[in-house]
């Protein structure tokens, strides 16, 4: 067995001083950037282009966060989307161009081209350290994000955070869920006039950490928009030969299962129980291959578009309809 391990992102992000110490010259650095072999994250910080190409967008942003953190001086902490990537939360469909930091300093602070600095009060429980970088706590990060990002991204963040708190393998810790939701409700109640608080309340009520992937979170929003009742999540289904599978959604109201297809768009495959079994994407004991009940001509949840940021109904605030492509590594 090979005892070597792949370098961590922290080791892939290299400073100019580190490169010079290892035999590089400024001319070689400049040539490597021009030739596409080296990517400049920000002034004085670099990552090999081929290493960066293999990263998800969240990990590319985390590399940026690492570089800014190593340059940073003062009391600011990583926050918003920049704290989210440290907590390994998904950021569905978001453009991650600037690092976000928050400080409770009473005086005005300035931002820079690649860093957006916020001024806000930070309580003693609002700050954590992850990978050696100070950032907002998981609860504060979720509270900050679900008020200001598009609803699809907000639900994906809220679902993933709750899952971090409550998932125990394939078991679900209901006490942890109750504690997490209670703490989030207290934050929302304490900020009645905060920007985006109405969306945040809806997202907090809608969130369900049993969603395993951002695409499942977005699919659940789409089912809501189409008028379905809240689906059961991670529904066990008996398969051939005594095997057991888990499908993403169970819709009791119309007696079908639903599975997010994960093929690059927000599409749900709806399958009636008792249908013939065919090879398709599902999960067997947590794996992404297997069989699922999928009849010929299985239906897909549809979509419509709107340019309005929100819809309103007699039931209060509702998320607008939009579509974000499934995130893929950049080419």
């Amino acid at each position: 067995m090979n005892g070597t391990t792949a370098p961590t992102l922290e080791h892939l992000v290299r400073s100019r001083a580190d490169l010079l110490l290892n035999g590089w010259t400024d001319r070689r650095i400049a040539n490597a950037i021009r030739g596409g072999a080296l990517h400049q994250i920000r002034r004085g910080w670099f990552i090999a282009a081929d290493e960066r190409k293999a990263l998800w967008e969240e990990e590319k942003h985390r590399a940026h966060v690492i570089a800014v953190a190593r340059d940073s001086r003062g009391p600011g902490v990583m926050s918003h989307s920049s704290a989210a990537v440290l907590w390994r939360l998904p950021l569905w469909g978001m453009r991650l161009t600037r690092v976000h930091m928050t400080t409770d300093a009473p005086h005005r602070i300035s931002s820079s081209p690649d860093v957006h600095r916020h001024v806000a009060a930070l309580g003693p429980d609002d700050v954590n350290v992850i990978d050696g970088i100070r950032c907002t706590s998981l609860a504060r990060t979720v509270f900050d994000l679900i008020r200001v990002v598009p609803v699809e991204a907000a639900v994906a963040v809220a679902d993933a955070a709750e899952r971090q708190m409550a998932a125990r393998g394939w078991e679900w810790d209901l006490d942890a869920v109750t504690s997490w939701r209670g703490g989030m409700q207290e934050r929302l109640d304490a900020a009645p006039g905060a920007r985006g608080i109405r969306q945040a309340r809806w997202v907090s009520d809608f969130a369900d950490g049993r969603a395993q992937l951002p695409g499942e979170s977005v699919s659940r929003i789409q089912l809501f928009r189409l008028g379905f009742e809240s689906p059961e999540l991670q529904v066990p289904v008996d398969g051939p030969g005594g095997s057991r599978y888990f499908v993403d959604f169970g819709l009791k109201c119309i007696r079908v299962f639903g599975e997010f297809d994960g093929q690059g768009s927000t599409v749900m495959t709806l399958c009636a129980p008792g249908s013939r079994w065919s090879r398709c994407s599902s999960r067997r004991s947590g794996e992404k291959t297997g069989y699922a009940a999928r009849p010929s001509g299985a239906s897909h949840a549809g979509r419509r578009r709107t340019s309005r940021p929100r819809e309103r109904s007699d039931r209060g605030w509702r998320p607008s309809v939009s579509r974000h492509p499934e995130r893929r590594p950049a080419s």
Side-chain angles (χ1 to χ4, degrees), residues 151-152 221-222 224-226 302-311 318-324:
V151 68
E152 290 87 353
I221 297 172
Q222 183 68 353
F224 172 80
R225 289 165 172 160
L226 293 172
R303 296 183 294 268
R304 61 187 176 89
R305 294 175 179 267
T306 178
S307 59
R308 293 174 296 171
R310 295 179 179 174
E311 290 180 346
R318 292 174 60 91
S320 64
V321 178
S322 61
R323 174 176 175 267
H324 290 287

PDB file of all heavy atoms in Angstrom, residues 151-152 221-222 224-226 302-311 318-324:
ATOM      1  N   VAL A 151     -33.289  31.840  -3.587  1.00  0.00           N
ATOM      2  CA  VAL A 151     -33.954  30.860  -2.722  1.00  0.00           C
ATOM      3  C   VAL A 151     -33.423  29.442  -2.935  1.00  0.00           C
ATOM      4  O   VAL A 151     -33.324  28.655  -1.993  1.00  0.00           O
ATOM      5  CB  VAL A 151     -35.486  30.926  -2.904  1.00  0.00           C
ATOM      6  CG1 VAL A 151     -35.910  30.449  -4.284  1.00  0.00           C
ATOM      7  CG2 VAL A 151     -36.186  30.147  -1.811  1.00  0.00           C
ATOM      8  N   GLU A 152     -33.066  29.092  -4.189  1.00  0.00           N
ATOM      9  CA  GLU A 152     -32.524  27.754  -4.422  1.00  0.00           C
ATOM     10  C   GLU A 152     -31.237  27.538  -3.635  1.00  0.00           C
ATOM     11  O   GLU A 152     -31.043  26.507  -2.992  1.00  0.00           O
ATOM     12  CB  GLU A 152     -32.263  27.526  -5.913  1.00  0.00           C
ATOM     13  CG  GLU A 152     -33.509  27.408  -6.778  1.00  0.00           C
ATOM     14  CD  GLU A 152     -34.021  28.762  -7.254  1.00  0.00           C
ATOM     15  OE1 GLU A 152     -33.503  29.799  -6.814  1.00  0.00           O
ATOM     16  OE2 GLU A 152     -34.959  28.763  -8.079  1.00  0.00           O
ATOM     17  N   ILE A 221     -38.020  22.208  -3.933  1.00  0.00           N
ATOM     18  CA  ILE A 221     -38.643  23.512  -4.167  1.00  0.00           C
ATOM     19  C   ILE A 221     -39.566  23.437  -5.373  1.00  0.00           C
ATOM     20  O   ILE A 221     -40.685  23.952  -5.362  1.00  0.00           O
ATOM     21  CB  ILE A 221     -37.569  24.591  -4.398  1.00  0.00           C
ATOM     22  CG1 ILE A 221     -36.697  24.768  -3.158  1.00  0.00           C
ATOM     23  CG2 ILE A 221     -38.212  25.924  -4.771  1.00  0.00           C
ATOM     24  CD1 ILE A 221     -35.505  25.687  -3.390  1.00  0.00           C
ATOM     25  N   GLN A 222     -39.090  22.769  -6.428  1.00  0.00           N
ATOM     26  CA  GLN A 222     -39.898  22.673  -7.644  1.00  0.00           C
ATOM     27  C   GLN A 222     -41.201  21.917  -7.388  1.00  0.00           C
ATOM     28  O   GLN A 222     -42.257  22.306  -7.884  1.00  0.00           O
ATOM     29  CB  GLN A 222     -39.084  21.981  -8.751  1.00  0.00           C
ATOM     30  CG  GLN A 222     -39.783  21.883 -10.090  1.00  0.00           C
ATOM     31  CD  GLN A 222     -39.975  23.240 -10.757  1.00  0.00           C
ATOM     32  OE1 GLN A 222     -39.698  24.279 -10.169  1.00  0.00           O
ATOM     33  NE2 GLN A 222     -40.481  23.229 -11.970  1.00  0.00           N
ATOM     34  N   PHE A 224     -42.807  21.848  -4.608  1.00  0.00           N
ATOM     35  CA  PHE A 224     -43.650  22.803  -3.886  1.00  0.00           C
ATOM     36  C   PHE A 224     -44.290  23.787  -4.843  1.00  0.00           C
ATOM     37  O   PHE A 224     -45.486  24.103  -4.749  1.00  0.00           O
ATOM     38  CB  PHE A 224     -42.799  23.537  -2.840  1.00  0.00           C
ATOM     39  CG  PHE A 224     -43.517  24.671  -2.161  1.00  0.00           C
ATOM     40  CD1 PHE A 224     -44.408  24.430  -1.133  1.00  0.00           C
ATOM     41  CD2 PHE A 224     -43.311  25.978  -2.575  1.00  0.00           C
ATOM     42  CE1 PHE A 224     -45.079  25.482  -0.515  1.00  0.00           C
ATOM     43  CE2 PHE A 224     -43.974  27.034  -1.965  1.00  0.00           C
ATOM     44  CZ  PHE A 224     -44.864  26.784  -0.924  1.00  0.00           C
ATOM     45  N   ARG A 225     -43.523  24.285  -5.798  1.00  0.00           N
ATOM     46  CA  ARG A 225     -44.046  25.246  -6.767  1.00  0.00           C
ATOM     47  C   ARG A 225     -45.145  24.628  -7.630  1.00  0.00           C
ATOM     48  O   ARG A 225     -46.060  25.316  -8.082  1.00  0.00           O
ATOM     49  CB  ARG A 225     -42.915  25.747  -7.654  1.00  0.00           C
ATOM     50  CG  ARG A 225     -41.937  26.668  -6.944  1.00  0.00           C
ATOM     51  CD  ARG A 225     -40.675  26.835  -7.737  1.00  0.00           C
ATOM     52  NE  ARG A 225     -39.803  27.858  -7.168  1.00  0.00           N
ATOM     53  CZ  ARG A 225     -38.514  27.967  -7.411  1.00  0.00           C
ATOM     54  NH1 ARG A 225     -37.922  27.098  -8.223  1.00  0.00           N
ATOM     55  NH2 ARG A 225     -37.798  28.928  -6.854  1.00  0.00           N
ATOM     56  N   LEU A 226     -45.032  23.332  -7.850  1.00  0.00           N
ATOM     57  CA  LEU A 226     -46.025  22.644  -8.667  1.00  0.00           C
ATOM     58  C   LEU A 226     -47.256  22.251  -7.868  1.00  0.00           C
ATOM     59  O   LEU A 226     -48.200  21.684  -8.408  1.00  0.00           O
ATOM     60  CB  LEU A 226     -45.402  21.394  -9.304  1.00  0.00           C
ATOM     61  CG  LEU A 226     -44.323  21.663 -10.351  1.00  0.00           C
ATOM     62  CD1 LEU A 226     -43.636  20.366 -10.767  1.00  0.00           C
ATOM     63  CD2 LEU A 226     -44.915  22.361 -11.572  1.00  0.00           C
ATOM     64  N   GLY A 302     -42.135  19.363 -14.393  1.00  0.00           N
ATOM     65  CA  GLY A 302     -41.866  20.413 -15.358  1.00  0.00           C
ATOM     66  C   GLY A 302     -41.319  21.672 -14.724  1.00  0.00           C
ATOM     67  O   GLY A 302     -41.167  21.775 -13.532  1.00  0.00           O
ATOM     68  N   ARG A 303     -41.047  22.665 -15.572  1.00  0.00           N
ATOM     69  CA  ARG A 303     -40.499  23.932 -15.113  1.00  0.00           C
ATOM     70  C   ARG A 303     -41.164  25.066 -15.886  1.00  0.00           C
ATOM     71  O   ARG A 303     -41.640  24.896 -16.989  1.00  0.00           O
ATOM     72  CB  ARG A 303     -38.980  24.007 -15.360  1.00  0.00           C
ATOM     73  CG  ARG A 303     -38.178  23.016 -14.592  1.00  0.00           C
ATOM     74  CD  ARG A 303     -36.715  23.270 -14.884  1.00  0.00           C
ATOM     75  NE  ARG A 303     -36.379  22.995 -16.264  1.00  0.00           N
ATOM     76  CZ  ARG A 303     -35.926  21.815 -16.697  1.00  0.00           C
ATOM     77  NH1 ARG A 303     -35.774  20.834 -15.857  1.00  0.00           N
ATOM     78  NH2 ARG A 303     -35.634  21.639 -17.959  1.00  0.00           N
ATOM     79  N   ARG A 304     -41.179  26.211 -15.302  1.00  0.00           N
ATOM     80  CA  ARG A 304     -41.520  27.424 -16.043  1.00  0.00           C
ATOM     81  C   ARG A 304     -40.592  28.518 -15.550  1.00  0.00           C
ATOM     82  O   ARG A 304     -39.983  28.417 -14.507  1.00  0.00           O
ATOM     83  CB  ARG A 304     -42.985  27.811 -15.860  1.00  0.00           C
ATOM     84  CG  ARG A 304     -43.386  28.114 -14.418  1.00  0.00           C
ATOM     85  CD  ARG A 304     -44.901  28.329 -14.333  1.00  0.00           C
ATOM     86  NE  ARG A 304     -45.333  28.519 -12.958  1.00  0.00           N
ATOM     87  CZ  ARG A 304     -45.384  29.688 -12.356  1.00  0.00           C
ATOM     88  NH1 ARG A 304     -44.968  30.766 -12.992  1.00  0.00           N
ATOM     89  NH2 ARG A 304     -45.815  29.791 -11.114  1.00  0.00           N
ATOM     90  N   ARG A 305     -40.491  29.577 -16.318  1.00  0.00           N
ATOM     91  CA  ARG A 305     -39.550  30.645 -16.000  1.00  0.00           C
ATOM     92  C   ARG A 305     -40.311  31.917 -15.625  1.00  0.00           C
ATOM     93  O   ARG A 305     -41.420  32.152 -16.075  1.00  0.00           O
ATOM     94  CB  ARG A 305     -38.634  30.953 -17.201  1.00  0.00           C
ATOM     95  CG  ARG A 305     -37.708  29.816 -17.559  1.00  0.00           C
ATOM     96  CD  ARG A 305     -36.950  30.194 -18.824  1.00  0.00           C
ATOM     97  NE  ARG A 305     -36.020  29.134 -19.202  1.00  0.00           N
ATOM     98  CZ  ARG A 305     -34.759  29.102 -18.839  1.00  0.00           C
ATOM     99  NH1 ARG A 305     -34.283  30.036 -18.053  1.00  0.00           N
ATOM    100  NH2 ARG A 305     -33.957  28.129 -19.219  1.00  0.00           N
ATOM    101  N   THR A 306     -39.683  32.721 -14.825  1.00  0.00           N
ATOM    102  CA  THR A 306     -40.223  34.035 -14.532  1.00  0.00           C
ATOM    103  C   THR A 306     -39.080  34.973 -14.243  1.00  0.00           C
ATOM    104  O   THR A 306     -38.061  34.565 -13.709  1.00  0.00           O
ATOM    105  CB  THR A 306     -41.192  33.993 -13.334  1.00  0.00           C
ATOM    106  OG1 THR A 306     -41.650  35.317 -13.079  1.00  0.00           O
ATOM    107  CG2 THR A 306     -40.510  33.461 -12.081  1.00  0.00           C
ATOM    108  N   SER A 307     -39.224  36.237 -14.593  1.00  0.00           N
ATOM    109  CA  SER A 307     -38.183  37.216 -14.291  1.00  0.00           C
ATOM    110  C   SER A 307     -38.435  37.891 -12.952  1.00  0.00           C
ATOM    111  O   SER A 307     -37.613  38.648 -12.469  1.00  0.00           O
ATOM    112  CB  SER A 307     -38.131  38.282 -15.394  1.00  0.00           C
ATOM    113  OG  SER A 307     -39.385  38.927 -15.492  1.00  0.00           O
ATOM    114  N   ARG A 308     -39.607  37.623 -12.369  1.00  0.00           N
ATOM    115  CA  ARG A 308     -39.898  38.259 -11.090  1.00  0.00           C
ATOM    116  C   ARG A 308     -39.095  37.596  -9.986  1.00  0.00           C
ATOM    117  O   ARG A 308     -38.981  36.382  -9.928  1.00  0.00           O
ATOM    118  CB  ARG A 308     -41.390  38.116 -10.761  1.00  0.00           C
ATOM    119  CG  ARG A 308     -42.306  38.887 -11.702  1.00  0.00           C
ATOM    120  CD  ARG A 308     -43.752  38.578 -11.400  1.00  0.00           C
ATOM    121  NE  ARG A 308     -44.041  37.169 -11.652  1.00  0.00           N
ATOM    122  CZ  ARG A 308     -45.190  36.581 -11.303  1.00  0.00           C
ATOM    123  NH1 ARG A 308     -46.108  37.288 -10.678  1.00  0.00           N
ATOM    124  NH2 ARG A 308     -45.396  35.318 -11.571  1.00  0.00           N
ATOM    125  N   PRO A 309     -38.565  38.397  -9.040  1.00  0.00           N
ATOM    126  CA  PRO A 309     -37.775  37.801  -7.977  1.00  0.00           C
ATOM    127  C   PRO A 309     -38.622  37.007  -7.002  1.00  0.00           C
ATOM    128  O   PRO A 309     -38.131  36.124  -6.320  1.00  0.00           O
ATOM    129  CB  PRO A 309     -37.138  39.014  -7.282  1.00  0.00           C
ATOM    130  CG  PRO A 309     -38.057  40.152  -7.589  1.00  0.00           C
ATOM    131  CD  PRO A 309     -38.600  39.862  -8.954  1.00  0.00           C
ATOM    132  N   ARG A 310     -39.901  37.306  -6.882  1.00  0.00           N
ATOM    133  CA  ARG A 310     -40.742  36.598  -5.937  1.00  0.00           C
ATOM    134  C   ARG A 310     -42.162  36.491  -6.472  1.00  0.00           C
ATOM    135  O   ARG A 310     -42.607  37.280  -7.301  1.00  0.00           O
ATOM    136  CB  ARG A 310     -40.792  37.316  -4.578  1.00  0.00           C
ATOM    137  CG  ARG A 310     -39.464  37.350  -3.875  1.00  0.00           C
ATOM    138  CD  ARG A 310     -39.600  38.084  -2.562  1.00  0.00           C
ATOM    139  NE  ARG A 310     -38.320  38.099  -1.874  1.00  0.00           N
ATOM    140  CZ  ARG A 310     -38.098  38.768  -0.755  1.00  0.00           C
ATOM    141  NH1 ARG A 310     -39.054  39.465  -0.203  1.00  0.00           N
ATOM    142  NH2 ARG A 310     -36.920  38.726  -0.185  1.00  0.00           N
ATOM    143  N   GLU A 311     -42.896  35.484  -5.984  1.00  0.00           N
ATOM    144  CA  GLU A 311     -44.324  35.411  -6.203  1.00  0.00           C
ATOM    145  C   GLU A 311     -44.995  35.569  -4.848  1.00  0.00           C
ATOM    146  O   GLU A 311     -44.461  35.168  -3.828  1.00  0.00           O
ATOM    147  CB  GLU A 311     -44.722  34.044  -6.779  1.00  0.00           C
ATOM    148  CG  GLU A 311     -44.270  33.835  -8.201  1.00  0.00           C
ATOM    149  CD  GLU A 311     -44.702  32.474  -8.693  1.00  0.00           C
ATOM    150  OE1 GLU A 311     -45.090  31.654  -7.853  1.00  0.00           O
ATOM    151  OE2 GLU A 311     -44.652  32.243  -9.895  1.00  0.00           O
ATOM    152  N   ARG A 318     -43.845  33.222  -1.333  1.00  0.00           N
ATOM    153  CA  ARG A 318     -43.502  31.971  -2.026  1.00  0.00           C
ATOM    154  C   ARG A 318     -42.255  32.223  -2.858  1.00  0.00           C
ATOM    155  O   ARG A 318     -42.057  33.306  -3.381  1.00  0.00           O
ATOM    156  CB  ARG A 318     -44.637  31.519  -2.962  1.00  0.00           C
ATOM    157  CG  ARG A 318     -45.896  31.070  -2.257  1.00  0.00           C
ATOM    158  CD  ARG A 318     -46.989  30.803  -3.269  1.00  0.00           C
ATOM    159  NE  ARG A 318     -46.626  29.767  -4.207  1.00  0.00           N
ATOM    160  CZ  ARG A 318     -46.893  28.468  -4.029  1.00  0.00           C
ATOM    161  NH1 ARG A 318     -47.489  28.076  -2.931  1.00  0.00           N
ATOM    162  NH2 ARG A 318     -46.556  27.587  -4.935  1.00  0.00           N
ATOM    163  N   PRO A 319     -41.413  31.198  -3.028  1.00  0.00           N
ATOM    164  CA  PRO A 319     -40.241  31.373  -3.879  1.00  0.00           C
ATOM    165  C   PRO A 319     -40.639  31.473  -5.330  1.00  0.00           C
ATOM    166  O   PRO A 319     -41.587  30.834  -5.772  1.00  0.00           O
ATOM    167  CB  PRO A 319     -39.426  30.104  -3.618  1.00  0.00           C
ATOM    168  CG  PRO A 319     -40.446  29.089  -3.219  1.00  0.00           C
ATOM    169  CD  PRO A 319     -41.500  29.848  -2.464  1.00  0.00           C
ATOM    170  N   SER A 320     -39.916  32.295  -6.079  1.00  0.00           N
ATOM    171  CA  SER A 320     -40.173  32.395  -7.504  1.00  0.00           C
ATOM    172  C   SER A 320     -39.641  31.169  -8.220  1.00  0.00           C
ATOM    173  O   SER A 320     -38.889  30.384  -7.668  1.00  0.00           O
ATOM    174  CB  SER A 320     -39.504  33.654  -8.070  1.00  0.00           C
ATOM    175  OG  SER A 320     -38.107  33.546  -7.938  1.00  0.00           O
ATOM    176  N   VAL A 321     -40.033  31.003  -9.469  1.00  0.00           N
ATOM    177  CA  VAL A 321     -39.595  29.860 -10.258  1.00  0.00           C
ATOM    178  C   VAL A 321     -38.380  30.251 -11.071  1.00  0.00           C
ATOM    179  O   VAL A 321     -38.396  31.239 -11.796  1.00  0.00           O
ATOM    180  CB  VAL A 321     -40.719  29.385 -11.200  1.00  0.00           C
ATOM    181  CG1 VAL A 321     -40.244  28.229 -12.059  1.00  0.00           C
ATOM    182  CG2 VAL A 321     -41.940  28.981 -10.396  1.00  0.00           C
ATOM    183  N   SER A 322     -37.320  29.524 -10.935  1.00  0.00           N
ATOM    184  CA  SER A 322     -36.130  29.763 -11.739  1.00  0.00           C
ATOM    185  C   SER A 322     -35.406  28.446 -11.896  1.00  0.00           C
ATOM    186  O   SER A 322     -35.802  27.441 -11.341  1.00  0.00           O
ATOM    187  CB  SER A 322     -35.220  30.799 -11.080  1.00  0.00           C
ATOM    188  OG  SER A 322     -34.790  30.349  -9.825  1.00  0.00           O
ATOM    189  N   ARG A 323     -34.332  28.443 -12.653  1.00  0.00           N
ATOM    190  CA  ARG A 323     -33.607  27.213 -12.928  1.00  0.00           C
ATOM    191  C   ARG A 323     -32.120  27.486 -12.863  1.00  0.00           C
ATOM    192  O   ARG A 323     -31.640  28.461 -13.426  1.00  0.00           O
ATOM    193  CB  ARG A 323     -33.965  26.673 -14.304  1.00  0.00           C
ATOM    194  CG  ARG A 323     -33.144  25.456 -14.730  1.00  0.00           C
ATOM    195  CD  ARG A 323     -33.664  24.953 -16.062  1.00  0.00           C
ATOM    196  NE  ARG A 323     -32.846  23.878 -16.569  1.00  0.00           N
ATOM    197  CZ  ARG A 323     -31.833  24.042 -17.401  1.00  0.00           C
ATOM    198  NH1 ARG A 323     -31.499  25.247 -17.782  1.00  0.00           N
ATOM    199  NH2 ARG A 323     -31.138  23.010 -17.838  1.00  0.00           N
ATOM    200  N   HIS A 324     -31.409  26.645 -12.149  1.00  0.00           N
ATOM    201  CA  HIS A 324     -29.958  26.740 -12.097  1.00  0.00           C
ATOM    202  C   HIS A 324     -29.389  25.420 -12.570  1.00  0.00           C
ATOM    203  O   HIS A 324     -29.836  24.366 -12.128  1.00  0.00           O
ATOM    204  CB  HIS A 324     -29.466  27.011 -10.675  1.00  0.00           C
ATOM    205  CG  HIS A 324     -29.804  28.372 -10.200  1.00  0.00           C
ATOM    206  ND1 HIS A 324     -29.172  29.496 -10.664  1.00  0.00           N
ATOM    207  CD2 HIS A 324     -30.733  28.796  -9.309  1.00  0.00           C
ATOM    208  CE1 HIS A 324     -29.679  30.559 -10.058  1.00  0.00           C
ATOM    209  NE2 HIS A 324     -30.610  30.169  -9.240  1.00  0.00           N
TER     210      HIS A 324
END
